[in-house]
Amino acid sequence: MKVSGLPLCLFSAVFSLFWTPSAGLKMLHLGNCVITTNLQEMQKGFSEIRDSVPGDQCCLLRRILRLYLDTVFKNYLPSDHHMLRKISSLANSFLTIKKDLRLCDTYMTCPCGEEAKKKYSQILSHFQELKPQEAVVKALGELDILLQWMEETS
């Protein structure tokens, strides 16, 4: 009796799928939408940007907050009134931080070196490559990374 190699082939394929490392890919369940993305790679990229400008963190944060205040929050139009209040509250918190950072800049304790300017230009360039609403949604989705970075600098 001749045994087919097909069952062994199928078993090997399924086994390799379950045991192959996913290389940082993570499934995100967003309501009815499920996407796969590499959050580790995004966090690594942001960490590299953050770590490459330790002396310019104040400047980089000030510029990122300006992007959120001038572009992201102004262009996000939630249909839910409760969500609008939450966004407004967050925007007010960012505005307070930005005002404090402006004072630091006035007293020359918030330098903007070339590295920070370059890194911010990269962030802005990636932001501007997207359609406006896509950029807003992406930026809102990355708020946790920004907030975590702010927490780590304390």
Side-chain angles (χ1 to χ4, degrees), residues 58-59 61-63 65-66 69-70 94-111:
C58 177
C59 171
L61 178 58
R62 190 174 37 140
R63 288 174 178 231
L65 292 179
R66 185 176 356 150
L69 290 167
D70 295 347
F94 275 30
L95 193 56
T96 300
I97 295 168
K98 187 178 170 211
K99 285 179 185 177
D100 291 343
L101 291 174
R102 191 175 310 137
L103 285 174
C104 292
D105 187 45
T106 301
Y107 294 110
M108 307 297 242
T109 58
C110 189

Short mmCIF file of all heavy atoms in Angstrom, two decimals, residues 58-59 61-63 65-66 69-70 94-111:
data_model
loop_
_atom_site.label_atom_id
_atom_site.label_comp_id
_atom_site.label_asym_id
_atom_site.label_seq_id
_atom_site.Cartn_x
_atom_site.Cartn_y
_atom_site.Cartn_z
N CYS A 58 13.18 68.74 24.71
CA CYS A 58 12.28 69.85 24.93
C CYS A 58 11.81 70.41 23.60
O CYS A 58 10.61 70.61 23.37
CB CYS A 58 12.99 70.91 25.77
SG CYS A 58 12.04 72.40 26.06
N CYS A 59 12.73 70.64 22.72
CA CYS A 59 12.44 71.19 21.40
C CYS A 59 11.56 70.23 20.60
O CYS A 59 10.57 70.64 20.00
CB CYS A 59 13.73 71.47 20.66
SG CYS A 59 13.50 71.90 18.93
N LEU A 61 9.61 67.84 21.67
CA LEU A 61 8.27 67.76 22.25
C LEU A 61 7.45 69.01 21.91
O LEU A 61 6.28 68.91 21.55
CB LEU A 61 8.35 67.59 23.77
CG LEU A 61 7.00 67.53 24.49
CD1 LEU A 61 6.14 66.39 23.96
CD2 LEU A 61 7.21 67.41 25.99
N ARG A 62 8.06 70.17 21.99
CA ARG A 62 7.35 71.41 21.67
C ARG A 62 6.84 71.38 20.23
O ARG A 62 5.69 71.74 19.95
CB ARG A 62 8.29 72.60 21.87
CG ARG A 62 7.60 73.94 21.80
CD ARG A 62 8.55 75.03 22.15
NE ARG A 62 9.87 74.70 21.61
CZ ARG A 62 10.69 75.56 21.06
NH1 ARG A 62 10.40 76.80 21.00
NH2 ARG A 62 11.85 75.18 20.57
N ARG A 63 7.65 70.91 19.31
CA ARG A 63 7.25 70.85 17.91
C ARG A 63 6.16 69.79 17.68
O ARG A 63 5.23 70.01 16.90
CB ARG A 63 8.46 70.58 17.02
CG ARG A 63 9.36 71.79 16.95
CD ARG A 63 10.64 71.50 16.20
NE ARG A 63 11.45 72.69 16.10
CZ ARG A 63 11.96 73.14 14.97
NH1 ARG A 63 11.77 72.50 13.85
NH2 ARG A 63 12.67 74.24 14.97
N LEU A 65 3.99 68.75 19.91
CA LEU A 65 2.75 69.28 20.49
C LEU A 65 2.11 70.31 19.56
O LEU A 65 0.89 70.35 19.41
CB LEU A 65 3.02 69.91 21.86
CG LEU A 65 3.42 68.95 22.98
CD1 LEU A 65 3.68 69.71 24.27
CD2 LEU A 65 2.37 67.87 23.19
N ARG A 66 2.92 71.12 18.93
CA ARG A 66 2.40 72.11 17.98
C ARG A 66 1.69 71.40 16.83
O ARG A 66 0.63 71.83 16.37
CB ARG A 66 3.52 73.00 17.46
CG ARG A 66 3.00 74.12 16.57
CD ARG A 66 4.06 75.07 16.10
NE ARG A 66 5.36 74.78 16.67
CZ ARG A 66 6.52 75.03 16.08
NH1 ARG A 66 6.54 75.59 14.90
NH2 ARG A 66 7.66 74.74 16.64
N LEU A 69 -1.63 70.23 18.16
CA LEU A 69 -2.55 71.34 18.41
C LEU A 69 -3.00 72.02 17.12
O LEU A 69 -4.18 72.33 16.95
CB LEU A 69 -1.89 72.36 19.35
CG LEU A 69 -1.73 71.88 20.79
CD1 LEU A 69 -0.81 72.81 21.56
CD2 LEU A 69 -3.09 71.77 21.48
N ASP A 70 -2.07 72.27 16.22
CA ASP A 70 -2.40 73.03 15.01
C ASP A 70 -3.04 72.19 13.91
O ASP A 70 -3.75 72.74 13.07
CB ASP A 70 -1.13 73.69 14.43
CG ASP A 70 -0.56 74.74 15.36
OD1 ASP A 70 -1.25 75.14 16.32
OD2 ASP A 70 0.60 75.16 15.14
N PHE A 94 -2.30 69.67 26.33
CA PHE A 94 -1.15 69.89 25.45
C PHE A 94 -0.81 71.37 25.37
O PHE A 94 0.35 71.76 25.34
CB PHE A 94 -1.45 69.34 24.05
CG PHE A 94 -1.17 67.87 23.88
CD1 PHE A 94 -1.29 66.99 24.94
CD2 PHE A 94 -0.80 67.38 22.66
CE1 PHE A 94 -1.04 65.63 24.77
CE2 PHE A 94 -0.54 66.02 22.48
CZ PHE A 94 -0.66 65.15 23.55
N LEU A 95 -1.84 72.21 25.34
CA LEU A 95 -1.62 73.66 25.27
C LEU A 95 -0.90 74.17 26.51
O LEU A 95 0.02 74.99 26.42
CB LEU A 95 -2.95 74.37 25.09
CG LEU A 95 -2.93 75.82 24.69
CD1 LEU A 95 -2.15 76.02 23.40
CD2 LEU A 95 -4.34 76.35 24.53
N THR A 96 -1.27 73.65 27.67
CA THR A 96 -0.61 74.03 28.92
C THR A 96 0.86 73.63 28.90
O THR A 96 1.74 74.42 29.25
CB THR A 96 -1.33 73.38 30.12
OG1 THR A 96 -2.68 73.82 30.14
CG2 THR A 96 -0.64 73.74 31.43
N ILE A 97 1.13 72.41 28.45
CA ILE A 97 2.52 71.95 28.36
C ILE A 97 3.29 72.82 27.37
O ILE A 97 4.43 73.22 27.63
CB ILE A 97 2.58 70.46 27.94
CG1 ILE A 97 1.96 69.58 29.02
CG2 ILE A 97 4.01 70.03 27.65
CD1 ILE A 97 1.71 68.15 28.57
N LYS A 98 2.66 73.13 26.24
CA LYS A 98 3.34 73.94 25.22
C LYS A 98 3.67 75.32 25.77
O LYS A 98 4.75 75.86 25.49
CB LYS A 98 2.45 74.05 23.98
CG LYS A 98 3.14 74.73 22.82
CD LYS A 98 2.23 74.77 21.61
CE LYS A 98 2.84 75.68 20.57
NZ LYS A 98 1.86 76.34 19.76
N LYS A 99 2.78 75.90 26.55
CA LYS A 99 3.04 77.21 27.16
C LYS A 99 4.23 77.13 28.10
O LYS A 99 5.09 78.01 28.10
CB LYS A 99 1.81 77.72 27.90
CG LYS A 99 0.73 78.22 26.99
CD LYS A 99 -0.48 78.69 27.80
CE LYS A 99 -1.61 79.09 26.88
NZ LYS A 99 -2.80 79.48 27.64
N ASP A 100 4.30 76.06 28.90
CA ASP A 100 5.44 75.87 29.81
C ASP A 100 6.74 75.71 29.03
O ASP A 100 7.78 76.25 29.41
CB ASP A 100 5.22 74.67 30.73
CG ASP A 100 4.11 74.91 31.75
OD1 ASP A 100 3.73 76.08 31.96
OD2 ASP A 100 3.62 73.92 32.32
N LEU A 101 6.67 74.97 27.94
CA LEU A 101 7.85 74.78 27.11
C LEU A 101 8.28 76.09 26.45
O LEU A 101 9.48 76.34 26.26
CB LEU A 101 7.60 73.71 26.04
CG LEU A 101 7.47 72.28 26.56
CD1 LEU A 101 7.07 71.35 25.42
CD2 LEU A 101 8.73 71.81 27.23
N ARG A 102 7.31 76.94 26.13
CA ARG A 102 7.65 78.24 25.54
C ARG A 102 8.44 79.08 26.55
O ARG A 102 9.37 79.78 26.19
CB ARG A 102 6.39 78.96 25.11
CG ARG A 102 6.71 80.19 24.25
CD ARG A 102 5.49 80.89 23.68
NE ARG A 102 4.59 79.97 23.02
CZ ARG A 102 3.27 80.02 23.16
NH1 ARG A 102 2.71 80.92 23.92
NH2 ARG A 102 2.50 79.17 22.51
N LEU A 103 8.07 78.98 27.84
CA LEU A 103 8.83 79.68 28.88
C LEU A 103 10.26 79.17 28.95
O LEU A 103 11.20 79.95 29.08
CB LEU A 103 8.16 79.53 30.24
CG LEU A 103 6.90 80.36 30.48
CD1 LEU A 103 6.28 80.00 31.82
CD2 LEU A 103 7.23 81.84 30.42
N CYS A 104 10.41 77.86 28.85
CA CYS A 104 11.75 77.29 28.84
C CYS A 104 12.55 77.82 27.66
O CYS A 104 13.73 78.12 27.78
CB CYS A 104 11.69 75.76 28.78
SG CYS A 104 11.03 74.98 30.25
N ASP A 105 11.88 77.93 26.52
CA ASP A 105 12.54 78.44 25.33
C ASP A 105 12.96 79.91 25.54
O ASP A 105 14.05 80.31 25.15
CB ASP A 105 11.60 78.33 24.13
CG ASP A 105 12.28 78.67 22.82
OD1 ASP A 105 13.42 78.21 22.60
OD2 ASP A 105 11.68 79.41 22.03
N THR A 106 12.12 80.67 26.19
CA THR A 106 12.42 82.07 26.46
C THR A 106 13.66 82.21 27.32
O THR A 106 14.48 83.10 27.12
CB THR A 106 11.22 82.75 27.16
OG1 THR A 106 10.08 82.64 26.30
CG2 THR A 106 11.50 84.21 27.44
N TYR A 107 13.81 81.31 28.28
CA TYR A 107 14.97 81.35 29.18
C TYR A 107 16.14 80.52 28.68
O TYR A 107 17.05 80.21 29.43
CB TYR A 107 14.56 80.91 30.59
CG TYR A 107 13.60 81.88 31.23
CD1 TYR A 107 12.28 81.53 31.43
CD2 TYR A 107 14.01 83.15 31.60
CE1 TYR A 107 11.38 82.42 32.00
CE2 TYR A 107 13.13 84.05 32.15
CZ TYR A 107 11.81 83.68 32.35
OH TYR A 107 10.94 84.57 32.90
N MET A 108 16.08 80.15 27.39
CA MET A 108 17.18 79.43 26.74
C MET A 108 17.48 78.06 27.36
O MET A 108 18.62 77.61 27.33
CB MET A 108 18.46 80.27 26.71
CG MET A 108 18.27 81.65 26.12
SD MET A 108 17.77 81.53 24.42
CE MET A 108 19.12 82.34 23.65
N THR A 109 16.47 77.42 27.95
CA THR A 109 16.68 76.09 28.51
C THR A 109 16.02 75.01 27.64
O THR A 109 15.89 73.87 28.07
CB THR A 109 16.12 76.01 29.95
OG1 THR A 109 14.73 76.34 29.92
CG2 THR A 109 16.87 76.93 30.88
N CYS A 110 15.60 75.40 26.45
CA CYS A 110 14.95 74.46 25.54
C CYS A 110 15.56 74.62 24.15
O CYS A 110 14.93 75.12 23.23
CB CYS A 110 13.44 74.74 25.51
SG CYS A 110 12.46 73.52 24.63
N PRO A 111 16.82 74.18 24.01
CA PRO A 111 17.50 74.39 22.73
C PRO A 111 16.94 73.52 21.61
O PRO A 111 16.41 72.45 21.85
CB PRO A 111 18.94 74.00 23.05
CG PRO A 111 18.81 72.97 24.12
CD PRO A 111 17.63 73.42 24.95
#
